[in-house]
Amino acid sequence: MELQKSQPSPQGDGCLVGVVRIPVKIVAVLIVLPVRMVWDLLAAAARMLRRTVLGPLWEHVLLPVLRGLGWVIGALLKAVFYWPWVGLWRYAVVPVGQGLAWCGRGVYAYALRPLGQGIGWLARGVHTYLLRPLGDGLLRYLLRPVGKGLAWAGWALGMTLFVWPWVGLWRFVLVPVGRYVLLPLGRAAAWLVTTLVRYLLVLPAQALWRYVAAPLVRGAYAYLLAPLGRLLVSAWHLAGRVSRALGRGLVWLWRGLVVKPAVWVRRHVVTPLANVARVAARSVHRQVLTPAGNAVRDVWRTSRLAVREARADVRRALFGGTGREPARSRARTLGSNTAAGDAPAPEISLHKQG
């Protein structure tokens, strides 16, 4: 409470703060700044690792695998520990219990209930007409007088042996001794102990705290710990700002030396070259490959027609007739774009015709 009430008002820094500030600044620059930079780099690397590796790995690999393992383990546990007991309960215990319950209800309804009713009726009759009159007579004329006499004798004996001697001892011995001897002695001893403790322990301790320890604690807090804490906090914030400035500088250098040249090369070199290559490929395909393909297709069609006419001439020379090509079969031939119904039929052997 005294520390809170007597805190000094903020004033100019003393010589002790001036002596401590320079080493603290040196320590802040040499130790706190590298630690803060390493901390910022590790935090950035951890965030990037979580975004690029750990998050997709957990979401697309580990989580489905764990879900599958959980489903498999749950199915195995159910198959081993759940479904056998369910089947045993459903198809063995429940039918047996229902049968036993039906037998028990029958035995209770047709055997035990009538027997119990008969026994109860007999017991009520014995109690009403035999035991109750006998008990009332014994209690009224024998047990109650004997019990009263024994109770009075026991009370008198107990009071004589255990109560009246102790009451007399307390009333005529202990109370006077405690009131007139022990109580004054106890009060005097308590006063003596309180006085000794107050003057030997409490007052010296209060004086030591008030005039020695409290000023030292307040001075140490006000002129050493508080400025040192403020210097360390300012050094930590300064290191953070320097680290962020270095990070922004590195990002700016990366963008200026790598990203922007790469974007410029992609936009002004790679993309025009790709467009030129695409246009050249299209023009080559349109002006060279397409006419060459058409020419090869025309040559192939001409050669096929020439071979067909030669076969027709040979057939007309050997067998006579019009020399027309036989009907084409329904099979598609290699190199023909016609339908399957326009494919040529198999040739007729000369031996079969002969």
Side-chain angles (χ1 to χ4, degrees), residues 69-301:
L69 289 177
W71 183 85
V72 171
I73 293 172
L76 291 177
L77 291 177
K78 285 184 178 180
V80 175
F81 296 104
Y82 179 73
W83 293 116
W85 297 103
V86 170
L88 180 64
W89 173 262
R90 184 175 298 174
Y91 300 107
V93 176
V94 172
V96 172
Q98 290 177 354
L100 292 176
W102 181 79
C103 293
R105 286 194 296 269
V107 171
Y108 173 76
Y110 298 104
L112 296 179
R113 182 186 291 176
L115 181 61
Q117 290 176 354
I119 294 174
W121 179 80
L122 181 61
R124 284 194 297 271
V126 170
H127 176 266
T128 303
Y129 299 104
L130 180 61
L131 296 180
R132 181 184 290 176
L134 182 61
D136 291 340
L138 290 176
L139 180 62
R140 182 176 299 175
Y141 300 106
L142 180 61
L143 297 179
R144 186 176 292 172
V146 173
K148 288 181 178 180
L150 291 177
W152 183 83
W155 177 81
L157 182 61
M159 293 295 290
T160 303
L161 294 178
F162 300 103
V163 177
W164 290 335
W166 298 106
V167 169
L169 179 63
W170 171 261
R171 182 175 298 174
F172 301 107
V173 177
L174 296 179
V175 170
V177 170
R179 181 177 298 173
Y180 299 108
V181 178
L182 297 179
L183 185 60
L185 290 178
R187 289 176 180 175
W191 177 82
L192 180 61
V193 170
T194 304
T195 304
L196 291 176
V197 169
R198 181 178 181 182
Y199 288 101
L200 293 179
L201 295 177
V202 176
L203 294 178
Q206 289 180 352
L208 180 64
W209 169 257
R210 181 174 298 173
Y211 300 108
V212 178
L216 289 177
V217 172
R218 287 195 297 269
Y221 176 78
Y223 298 104
L224 181 62
L225 296 179
L228 185 61
R230 289 194 294 270
L231 287 176
L232 289 177
V233 171
S234 62
W236 178 258
H237 291 301
L238 177 62
R241 288 194 292 270
V242 172
S243 176
R244 286 192 294 271
L246 290 178
R248 287 194 292 269
L250 291 176
V251 171
W252 181 79
L253 289 176
W254 172 261
R255 289 179 179 176
L257 296 178
V258 178
V259 177
K260 289 183 178 179
V263 172
W264 185 87
V265 168
R266 178 182 176 276
R267 184 176 297 171
H268 298 285
V269 177
V270 177
T271 302
L273 289 178
N275 294 330
V276 169
R278 184 170 61 253
V279 172
R282 289 180 179 177
S283 62
V284 168
H285 182 271
R286 187 183 301 112
Q287 296 176 5
V288 178
L289 297 179
T290 301
N294 294 330
V296 171
R297 192 180 297 110
D298 294 338
V299 170
W300 176 253
R301 188 181 296 111

Side-chain angles (χ1 to χ4, degrees), residues 20-44:
V20 173
R21 179 176 293 174
I22 296 175
V24 169
K25 288 184 177 180
I26 295 173
V27 170
V29 173
L30 295 180
I31 297 177
V32 179
L33 179 61
V35 171
R36 182 59 184 265
M37 293 180 62
V38 171
W39 174 260
D40 292 338
L41 291 176
L42 291 177

